[in-house]
Amino acid sequence: MPKLIDKSARERLIGEAAWRVVVRDGITSLSVRNVALEAGIAAGSLRYVFPTQEVLRVYVLDLVRQRVLDRIVAIEPSVSPRETVENYFSQLLPLDAERRVEMEVFLSVGVLALTDPVLQPAYDRAHQDLRAGCFKFLELLTVDSKYGGLDPAVETARTHAVIDGLALHLIRQPKNEDTNWAARELSRHLDCLAMEGR
């Protein structure tokens, strides 16, 4: 069992080093040599964990997905379903430095999935997880009488598009610029869903 834990920790160390390379130097710098240097390990050690650059890229995308999921699972549900759902959705937006790094990495590596058949399934998994998450979160809202007429199956696609759009706008703005506007827009979207559900 300790070997499994060590392997998992080593994967994460390398994955996060890869993130730093991508954010600092761009996707074209995501090489075994650069990531090994950033992680402080020998290139041979990196290749032992990630035999090819493609396998490393897949892990980098999956690590973003896993970190977002870990944050959502760690949220204690509130008495108010609306507050809980808003907290869940906010984890999908780059509202702070940590989430911005995740989104920058996801977008940078995700672009490669358009032409990389090895990477495409990881990108598709993340996209499908986000859509499924939107549906589940909207389902939670229907517990609140204000959202009694809400149909999650109908509103999932629009909510997914709102989240994606807000995330892209946040990434385009300067790093030190205020992100509260996006949190307000998320809140307004949820308000609109309550009104439309009547």
Side-chain angles (χ1 to χ4, degrees), residues 34-140:
N34 288 342
V35 173
L37 188 63
E38 181 69 28
I41 61 173
S45 295
L46 190 147
R47 283 195 184 93
Y48 179 76
V49 180
F50 298 107
T52 66
Q53 191 163 321
E54 287 77 17
V55 174
L56 175 60
R57 287 175 179 170
V58 167
Y59 180 79
V60 162
L61 273 186
D62 278 339
L63 183 57
V64 172
R65 190 171 139 265
Q66 188 57 53
R67 293 247 310 236
V68 172
L69 182 60
D70 289 348
R71 276 201 312 274
I72 290 170
V73 168
I75 292 173
E76 289 289 332
S78 167
V79 175
S80 156
R82 160 61 188 268
E83 188 178 327
T84 300
V85 167
E86 196 162 340
N87 285 339
Y88 288 162
F89 274 123
S90 70
Q91 299 311 308
L92 305 172
L93 297 175
L95 297 171
D96 59 26
E98 176 187 352
R99 287 176 276 177
R100 184 179 175 108
V101 166
E102 289 171 357
M103 185 58 66
E104 286 179 9
V105 168
F106 184 78
L107 292 174
S108 297
V109 179
V111 164
L112 300 177
L114 298 174
T115 56
D116 183 341
V118 175
L119 197 53
Q120 185 71 48
Y123 186 77
D124 289 345
R125 266 194 309 276
H127 182 76
Q128 289 157 8
D129 280 359
L130 179 54
R131 180 155 297 228
C134 287
F135 178 79
K136 278 185 177 180
F137 300 162
L138 293 176
E139 258 193 333
L140 287 173

